[in-house]
Amino acid sequence: MRPAVVRILAYRPSPQSLRRNLGLLAATLLLAVLSTCSPHKDVLTQIRAQGVLKVATINSPTTYYFGAKGALGYDYDLAQGFADQLGVKLDMIVAQSPQEAIEMVEDGRANLAAAGLAVSPSRELHVRFSQPLLTVKPQLVYRMGDPRPSSLADLHGKLTVVSNSVHAERLESLKKQYPNLSWDETDDQETEQLLYEVANGQLQYTIANSDIIAINQRYYPRLRVAFDLADAQDLAWALPRDGDDSLFDAVQSYIAGISGKTLARLRDRYFGHVERINYFGAVTLASQVQSRLPKYRSAFMAAGKKYGVDWRLLAAMGYQESQWDPEAVSPTGVRGLMMLTLDTANFLNVQDREDPTQSIFGGAQYYTQLYDQLPDPIKEPDRTWMALAAYNIGLGHLLDARVLTRETGGNANHWLDVRNSLPLLTQARWYSRTRHGYARGFETVTYVGNVRTFYDMLTWITNGAPAKAKPEPAEPPL
């Protein structure tokens, strides 16, 4: 048998193929050199290049929300100031919870989180915090008239807190000290809703930060603080733990550069106790009718005649807004007897918001425009009450509440049904379905109720004809 012959064939590339391969090799080497030699762009440089600062937040009166006056919130104002300093656009990304806001920072969907975040050891494992922007106390609240507990051992009812919150974390750490302590955690209710349920007698206890409690006590006076659960707690912004210090250092420098007076004014704007003169007792009204109303009655009557509105309704709105004080200024920048925003005043051609006559005519015109923009099927008296709600919360949010009313089986043309839907605008599972998002619906319910009360009283005091509108059904007990 003849031995097998193995042939080894040498590959000889053509001149064209050789040149092509050498070209590819050169390009690859050049790309490798450029990638190693070109400087890496830090996060701050990237943000400036993109022109956008992405900030994760939550809808809350202490962080970020849209009202009739536009975007508001303590964290929002600070974040806008930081974006302005960087020369970029601010993009507020609304998370469903503080925990989700932190997760957005971790996975890169947001550059930082400004969501009223309490600094805690467990959170510091995932993000790093800026220097404190606010200090609060975690407090347990109950309803006035119920026994006041002195400690967690004295609870005799249901305690509910938001799940995955610092308060839930704190309760877990106190379990050893109070072995009989029990509580529920909720995913579909937010702190404001829990506070409302406590004030309304639907829930015995909840835990919230002192800033949120102070704001809600203005609207629900039966909310009472039983005790502090801990010492002062720092609230700060959260940034990623990615080894890049550029954005973190810029945040720290920005916060350090805010003057004490500026920060104090901002804190007072959202958390101060001397704020908008919204809800005064009826007893005070009688004295103000004698001392203040005569100065502006003719203007109210003239505006009412011009725009076809009962002057006493306009006067009730003015009393609710400013207690008939033409120099009143709210913490959100609205001012004057009818509390007009600068944008609204400019739109209405009101030159001086603190001129009482201009303010009254501007307020009457604005109310009438809202009244006329409501859908035709809304009839009186519901049309008046919904126009008042739009004056307070904004037409967009009022229309959102009508959509939710239909979704929950109510009549969107009836104020009573819409009134019951307005508080839903504080709950993520409801406002996430709407066009305009979060709004303080509870406040608007109170606003309309107070204006109606003042309107009825003014009708009686001025010995005029009884108000044509039927009485509003009683509010839920607080």
Side-chain angles (χ1 to χ4, degrees):
M1 178 180 294
R2 297 176 63 181
V5 177
V6 178
R7 292 185 177 184
I8 301 175
L9 302 176
Y11 171 67
R12 295 180 180 178
S14 66
Q16 295 85 354
S17 176
L18 183 61
R19 285 195 297 271
R20 182 171 62 253
N21 291 339
L22 288 174
L24 290 173
L25 178 61
T28 302
L29 292 174
L30 179 61
L31 181 62
V33 171
L34 291 175
S35 63
T36 56
C37 295
S38 59
H40 171 70
K41 292 183 178 180
D42 59 42
V43 174
L44 186 60
T45 300
Q46 294 177 37
I47 291 172
R48 283 179 166 145
Q50 295 167 359
V52 178
L53 175 68
K54 297 179 180 180
V55 177
T57 189
I58 58 171
N59 279 137
S60 163
T62 59
T63 54
Y64 170 73
Y65 68 100
F66 263 88
K69 286 78 179 176
L72 299 167
Y74 182 73
D75 277 306
Y76 167 75
D77 281 0
L78 288 171
Q80 185 62 67
F82 182 49
D84 290 344
Q85 186 179 90
L86 297 181
V88 299
K89 177 183 177 182
L90 176 64
D91 181 12
M92 299 295 282
I93 307 172
V94 178
Q96 298 300 313
S97 66
Q99 180 60 33
E100 186 184 11
I102 290 176
E103 292 170 359
M104 286 182 174
V105 172
E106 285 189 278
D107 61 25
R109 284 178 287 166
N111 302 122
L112 61 88
L117 297 172
V119 179
S120 72
S122 63
R123 287 177 170 176
E124 287 186 301
L125 296 176
H126 303 277
V127 293
R128 57 177 173 173
F129 288 95
S130 69
Q131 58 182 293
L133 291 162
L134 195 68
T135 301
V136 298
K137 291 183 178 180
Q139 298 175 322
L140 186 133
V141 295
Y142 70 107
R143 184 175 184 266
M144 183 181 69
D146 293 341
R148 177 180 180 176
S150 58
S151 73
L152 290 174
D154 294 335
L155 303 187
H156 299 287
K158 187 177 180 181
L159 167 62
T160 302
V161 297
V162 176
S163 59
N164 294 318
S165 64
V166 170
H167 305 311
E169 180 182 329
R170 181 172 287 107
L171 288 174
E172 192 65 44
S173 69
L174 292 170
K175 185 69 175 174
K176 293 182 179 179
Q177 184 178 352
Y178 301 97
N180 295 324
L181 177 64
S182 64
W183 67 92
D184 292 333
E185 297 183 23
T186 177
D187 288 319
D188 59 359
Q189 291 176 297
E190 299 180 10
T191 300
E192 282 192 284
Q193 176 66 20
L194 295 178
L195 290 172
Y196 174 77
E197 291 187 3
V198 171
N200 201 35
Q202 299 169 278
L203 178 66
Q204 280 73 38
Y205 314 105
T206 192
I207 298 171
N209 287 338
S210 53
D211 57 344
I212 293 284
I213 295 171
I215 287 175
N216 281 272
Q217 279 182 319
R218 293 178 297 165
Y219 313 120
Y220 316 124
R222 292 194 175 181
L223 277 179
R224 289 290 183 270
V225 174
F227 53 84
D228 298 341
L229 265 75
D231 295 332
Q233 175 78 61
D234 290 335
L235 304 185
W237 287 354
L239 292 97
R241 287 188 172 279
D242 56 4
D244 188 323
D245 294 333
S246 60
L247 180 60
F248 180 80
D249 290 344
V251 166
Q252 295 289 70
S253 176
Y254 165 69
I255 296 173
I258 302 174
S259 71
K261 289 184 178 180
T262 298
L263 202 56
R265 283 196 298 269
L266 189 59
R267 287 170 177 166
D268 183 68
R269 174 179 182 180
Y270 291 104
F271 310 115
H273 293 284
V274 182
E275 299 192 355
R276 284 185 60 192
I277 307 174
N278 268 348
Y279 310 121
F280 282 85
V283 174
T284 309
L285 175 65
S287 63
Q288 299 290 16
V289 166
Q290 300 297 323
S291 61
R292 290 189 179 179
L293 182 58
K295 304 175 186 177
Y296 314 116
R297 178 167 175 165
S298 60
F300 281 122
M301 295 179 73
K305 182 177 181 180
K306 178 176 180 179
Y307 293 103
V309 182
D310 188 331
W311 73 269
R312 292 164 296 191
L313 179 64
L314 297 177
M317 293 168 61
Y319 184 79
Q320 172 69 13
E321 293 288 351
S322 68
Q323 208 179 15
W324 299 324
D325 179 3
E327 298 180 356
V329 180
S330 85
T332 55
V334 294
R335 63 177 61 236
L337 196 147
M338 299 297 282
M339 285 293 184
L340 302 177
T341 68
L342 182 58
D343 289 341
T344 300
N346 290 337
F347 176 74
L348 299 171
N349 198 30
V350 174
Q351 302 298 319
D352 183 359
R353 288 183 289 169
E354 293 188 4
D355 178 274
T357 300
Q358 291 188 45
S359 182
I360 290 169
F361 273 78
Q365 180 183 352
Y366 182 49
Y367 166 82
T368 304
Q369 290 176 348
L370 294 170
Y371 183 98
D372 292 341
Q373 291 178 68
L374 292 174
D376 291 337
I378 303 175
K379 306 303 181 183
E380 285 294 352
D382 304 271
R383 195 176 188 88
T384 293
W385 312 144
M386 290 198 205
L388 287 174
Y391 191 96
N392 174 257
I393 203 173
L395 182 61
H397 289 309
L398 187 276
L399 297 178
D400 284 346
R402 295 184 73 244
V403 172
L404 295 181
T405 300
R406 285 192 291 268
E407 291 184 7
T408 54
N411 189 327
N413 298 324
H414 291 169
W415 165 244
L416 178 60
D417 291 353
V418 174
R419 187 189 74 177
N420 292 336
S421 297
L422 279 165
L424 299 180
L425 294 176
T426 65
Q427 301 177 41
R429 64 191 180 104
W430 291 106
Y431 69 68
S432 60
R433 310 180 188 184
T434 67
R435 180 177 180 182
H436 299 90
Y438 174 94
R440 289 189 55 77
F442 294 129
E443 178 179 348
T444 300
V445 171
T446 304
Y447 175 90
V448 176
N450 284 357
V451 171
R452 294 181 67 168
T453 298
F454 298 148
Y455 179 35
D456 288 341
M457 292 184 66
L458 285 170
T459 299
W460 179 77
I461 292 173
T462 57
N463 296 317
K468 295 180 180 180
K470 61 184 178 182
E472 181 177 18
E475 299 281 354
L478 289 180

